[in-house]
Amino acid sequence: MDVTAIRRDFPILHQRVRGGPLAYLDNGATTQKPIQVIDAVSSYYSRDNANVHRGVHELSQRATDAYEGAREKVREFINAADAREIVFVRGTTEAINLVAQSFARPRMKPGDEIIVTEMEHHSNIVPWQMVVQQTGAVIRVATVTDSGEVDPGVFESLFNDRTRLLAVTHISNALGTVNPIREMIRTARQYDTTVVIDGAQAVAHGTVDVRELDCDFYAFSGHKLYGPTGIGVLYGKMEHLESMEPYQGGGEMILMVTFENATYAKPPARFEAGTPNIAGAIGLAAAIDYVRGHGLAAIRAHEQELLDYAQERAAAIDGLRIIGTAAEKGAILSFVFDQVHAHDVGTIMDSEGLAVRAGHLCAMPVMKRFGIAATTRASFGIYNTREEVDRLIGGMHKVLEVMGR
């Protein structure tokens, strides 16, 4: 993979920050956008801007074709059986909330159980807490080991005849752990348990095949896939989507409305009330073309090489501890320094032009599990280089120097 050529596609990377060249290492939060995505969004607004599904004029037809073409692009990308199984939402968070309110809440009874893991992002915890408050169901938590892997014995012991739903992240945003979701789904199937996968950290870093996984729902965000913000995807098996009532009402999600009642459109329109993020969907389709053009296997190999190199060098630094050492990891390196707060680390890194994440990473339970308040996280993407890893390691040494350790 020609990373030098790839970097030319990302105009934002060619700037100086705090006097030095930008090294963007916060891809777990959001990725930068290639010119191909920027041009696709710009072209829509410059040439085709119109609302979808409701106009008979040329611009509306073009916009509708592009929007529905994006849906088909997503279907192909994750190998869904039918484009109608692809619901456009704002992002992973909205997708999980949609499942929580439209699928889980009407089905849950007091005493029913929802299984999550200790490493979940808040967006895969709080929506289920709301369901628990609304229904009397309970949440059970699969603990993680010191390396940051779900303890398989504990995980399997949580299932019983009251288990209704498993909600689990594909790749942990805080630890980098790649969960064995195929095995987890197989376990869930033994108990007739519905499976929701949070794929926010996974889709940009490897192939996702929802039919091969046999998950019931899969959620991800466009902006972590080199696409625009404000667009995301909920994949759901058609049998589930057709059985779910919408939790938002408005235009385009209905068949008929009177002042007394309304009947709803079939999925996915049923769940896309109001004017959708048309430009976002078009940009997401361009982002999918971009990553597929470079090959997800090649991207994964490149990022793994960077991660292995970074972990090897970071592990040799006295006073630094890596949080999350699972055998299989995504391109995420979380670390802490003895007696140095992550926010101080992030500030010092920023002074060197290094954009890293610092804080609890919206995953406070897993921070508590490891007895820490926060971590600093470097997360790698398609455009990162070995030289940037060297600068990251230099930043770590700078932290020790500034803090007098």
Side-chain angles (χ1 to χ4, degrees), residues 351-403:
S351 72
E352 299 293 308
L354 298 160
V356 296
R357 195 71 162 185
H360 54 62
L361 311 182
C362 295
M364 295 176 80
V366 80
M367 297 292 144
K368 182 179 180 182
R369 160 62 181 83
F370 284 92
I372 54 180
T375 72
T376 306
R377 181 187 69 189
S379 47
F380 307 109
I382 190 172
Y383 36 65
N384 291 126
T385 66
R386 199 174 175 93
E387 289 72 25
E388 289 177 323
V389 173
D390 289 336
R391 289 183 58 201
L392 173 69
I393 300 301
M396 294 172 178
H397 287 289
K398 180 79 171 181
V399 169
L400 295 174
E401 176 187 332
V402 170
M403 303 306 288

Side-chain angles (χ1 to χ4, degrees), residues 284-301:
L284 174 58
I288 288 172
D289 283 340
Y290 188 81
V291 295
R292 295 184 80 180
H294 290 289
L296 284 158
I299 294 170
R300 170 73 175 145

Side-chain angles (χ1 to χ4, degrees), residues 81-100:
D82 193 311
R84 294 172 299 170
E85 295 177 319
I86 305 301
V87 180
F88 283 127
V89 290
R90 284 182 297 151
T92 306
T93 299
E94 185 176 26
I96 294 174
N97 275 275
L98 196 166
V99 178

Side-chain angles (χ1 to χ4, degrees), residues 82-380:
D82 193 311
R84 294 172 299 170
E85 295 177 319
I86 305 301
V87 180
F88 283 127
V89 290
R90 284 182 297 151
T92 306
T93 299
E94 185 176 26
I96 294 174
N97 275 275
L98 196 166
V99 178
Q101 291 303 311
S102 291
F103 181 85
R105 182 173 58 81
R107 290 166 173 77
M108 290 285 175
K109 301 185 299 293
D112 285 348
E113 296 181 358
I114 300 167
I115 296 176
V116 300
T117 78
E118 211 167 17
M119 70 177 75
E120 300 305 320
H121 188 278
H122 296 168
S123 61
N124 201 27
I125 298 174
V126 180
W128 309 117
Q129 291 175 336
M130 292 177 174
V131 170
V132 164
Q133 292 163 2
Q134 293 160 339
T135 67
V138 297
I139 291 176
R140 305 195 71 188
V141 181
T143 55
V144 302
T145 64
D146 289 343
S147 63
E149 297 166 301
V150 173
D151 186 315
V154 172
F155 178 71
E156 292 189 19
S157 73
L158 295 178
F159 285 86
N160 57 61
D161 59 7
R162 297 184 302 278
T163 308
R164 297 288 175 266
L165 190 140
L166 166 67
V168 61
T169 185
H170 195 159
I171 297 178
S172 164
N173 76 308
L175 307 174
T177 305
V178 179
N179 275 318
I181 55 171
R182 289 175 180 78
E183 290 78 4
M184 297 170 97
I185 292 170
R186 277 198 287 271
T187 299
R189 290 285 173 252
Q190 296 173 27
Y191 294 87
D192 196 23
T193 298
T194 301
V195 179
V196 183
I197 304 295
D198 171 357
Q201 298 293 337
V203 290
H205 309 285
T207 301
V208 172
D209 185 329
V210 293
R211 278 193 280 179
E212 190 271 335
L213 289 174
D214 191 29
C215 56
D216 296 286
F217 298 98
Y218 196 100
F220 66 91
S221 301
H223 72 98
K224 297 181 194 289
L225 182 60
Y226 307 99
T229 55
I231 187 72
V233 169
L234 173 67
Y235 157 78
K237 287 184 176 178
M238 184 54 72
E239 63 194 80
H240 295 320
L241 295 179
E242 287 182 327
S243 71
M244 292 160 55
E245 297 291 304
Y247 83 112
Q248 296 182 83
E252 281 301 301
M253 50 77 70
I254 50 83
L255 290 176
M256 183 275 294
V257 175
T258 68
F259 279 111
E260 290 73 34
N261 208 345
T263 55
Y264 305 130
K266 293 184 177 299
R270 179 180 302 182
F271 306 107
E272 296 180 0
T275 298
N277 184 352
I278 305 162
I282 292 168
L284 174 58
I288 288 172
D289 283 340
Y290 188 81
V291 295
R292 295 184 80 180
H294 290 289
L296 284 158
I299 294 170
R300 170 73 175 145
H302 169 67
E303 293 171 349
Q304 187 66 49
E305 182 183 348
L306 294 179
L307 177 67
D308 291 345
Y309 179 54
Q311 288 194 140
E312 180 183 355
R313 294 203 61 190
I317 297 175
D318 289 338
L320 181 148
R321 179 163 59 108
I322 296 173
I323 305 298
T325 54
E328 189 173 356
K329 285 186 63 175
I332 287 172
L333 174 64
S334 282
F335 56 94
V336 295
F337 285 96
D338 298 338
Q339 308 301 316
V340 182
H341 195 280
H343 286 168
D344 293 328
V345 176
T347 300
I348 294 168
M349 293 276 186
D350 178 57
S351 72
E352 299 293 308
L354 298 160
V356 296
R357 195 71 162 185
H360 54 62
L361 311 182
C362 295
M364 295 176 80
V366 80
M367 297 292 144
K368 182 179 180 182
R369 160 62 181 83
F370 284 92
I372 54 180
T375 72
T376 306
R377 181 187 69 189
S379 47
F380 307 109

Side-chain angles (χ1 to χ4, degrees), residues 40-63:
V41 173
S42 176
S43 175
Y44 164 71
Y45 281 124
S46 301
R47 179 176 176 273
D48 301 327
N49 180 46
N51 216 323
V52 294
H53 300 145
R54 61 193 74 181
V56 295
H57 56 80
E58 170 68 16
L59 294 190
S60 181
Q61 292 296 320
R62 285 188 213 156

